[in-house]
Amino acid sequence: MPSLNISFTEDELEAVRAAAAAEGKSLKQYVHDLPLREQQRIQFVRYAVTWGERHRSEFDEAFADEIPPAGHGNRQVDAA
């Protein structure tokens, strides 16, 4: 199985160890899971933005007195 060596400063490594401990994971499992979680987060954000855009007019109509209706295509959301 392929592996990867990653260099950290002492402070960085301590922060990563603390984050792994907070999740109840080994350091190896925590670092392994990070890119997978990021991929899932990006997928979720993209879906949420798409859903929001499809339903924008409904929200604009339902909350017309709250904020000005959003101009279609004027928003930029960075999923990454």
Side-chain angles (χ1 to χ4, degrees):
M1 177 180 284
S3 63
L4 176 66
N5 290 324
I6 302 172
S7 299
F8 293 99
T9 66
E10 290 296 324
D11 290 339
E12 291 168 339
L13 185 55
E14 185 55 37
V16 175
R17 280 189 177 125
E23 290 194 17
K25 294 182 178 181
S26 69
L27 184 58
K28 183 176 180 178
Q29 188 64 53
Y30 180 78
V31 173
H32 170 270
D33 291 350
L34 282 175
L36 304 176
R37 288 181 6 193
E38 179 62 9
Q39 184 179 18
Q40 291 171 343
R41 185 194 70 80
I42 289 170
Q43 182 179 1
F44 173 82
V45 169
R46 285 185 180 147
Y47 175 81
V49 168
T50 300
W51 186 91
E53 291 298 322
R54 271 189 273 148
H55 297 280
R56 179 189 301 259
S57 61
E58 295 170 49
F59 282 93
D60 287 347
E61 185 178 320
F63 302 104
D65 296 334
E66 298 291 323
I67 58 171
H72 296 281
N74 290 343
R75 278 192 202 159
Q76 298 222 353
V77 176
D78 184 15

